[in-house]
Amino acid sequence: MQHEVDTPEGKAAICALAIERRLVLTARYNGVDVELHPHQLVERNGTTYLRAVNPAKSRRVDEDPALGFFHLGGIGDLALKPAVFEPLPAEATAPARDDDTVLATL
């Protein structure tokens, strides 16, 4: 069954596919164009979030890239980009909280 992209189910399906294939995502998040390297799809308190690296995020020189939480409700214009990304090490992708339910992961 195919999902509409703008529904929560459609967004989750695209994110899961990107995670499975390690594909870069492009989107608008809270009104800003972003490129995301998706690592996990998690549910927390009944809400679904994408855990992804935003490579354009400003970081200190000594700070490694880290996963951010992106609420699926704030994501628009979601699309797969035909480019793969290098994932973070496994230890960097542990669930943030014990009660997080991992729906998809690298």
Side-chain angles (χ1 to χ4, degrees):
M1 178 176 185
Q2 192 171 13
H3 300 284
E4 290 293 322
V5 175
D6 288 335
T7 66
E9 296 83 10
K11 291 176 186 180
I14 289 172
C15 290
L17 180 63
I19 291 166
E20 176 186 319
R21 297 184 182 172
R22 294 184 180 170
L23 293 174
V24 173
L25 289 169
T26 59
R28 281 191 68 75
Y29 188 68
N30 294 333
V32 177
D33 290 330
V34 292
E35 180 178 289
L36 300 172
H37 299 178
H39 284 64
Q40 288 182 334
L41 201 55
V42 299
E43 186 176 297
R44 177 183 288 174
N45 300 324
T47 303
T48 305
Y49 295 89
L50 175 65
R51 292 186 71 202
V53 173
N54 175 355
K57 181 178 179 178
S58 296
R59 291 185 171 74
R60 294 186 320 254
V61 173
D62 62 341
E63 187 179 23
D64 290 330
L67 295 178
F69 277 82
F70 298 87
H71 184 278
L72 285 190
I75 295 176
D77 299 330
L78 186 62
L80 295 169
K81 187 174 177 180
V84 296
F85 62 90
E86 188 64 35
L88 296 179
E91 60 271 7
T93 62
R97 293 187 188 167
D98 291 337
D99 61 341
D100 285 348
T101 302
V102 178
L103 305 173
T105 191
L106 288 177

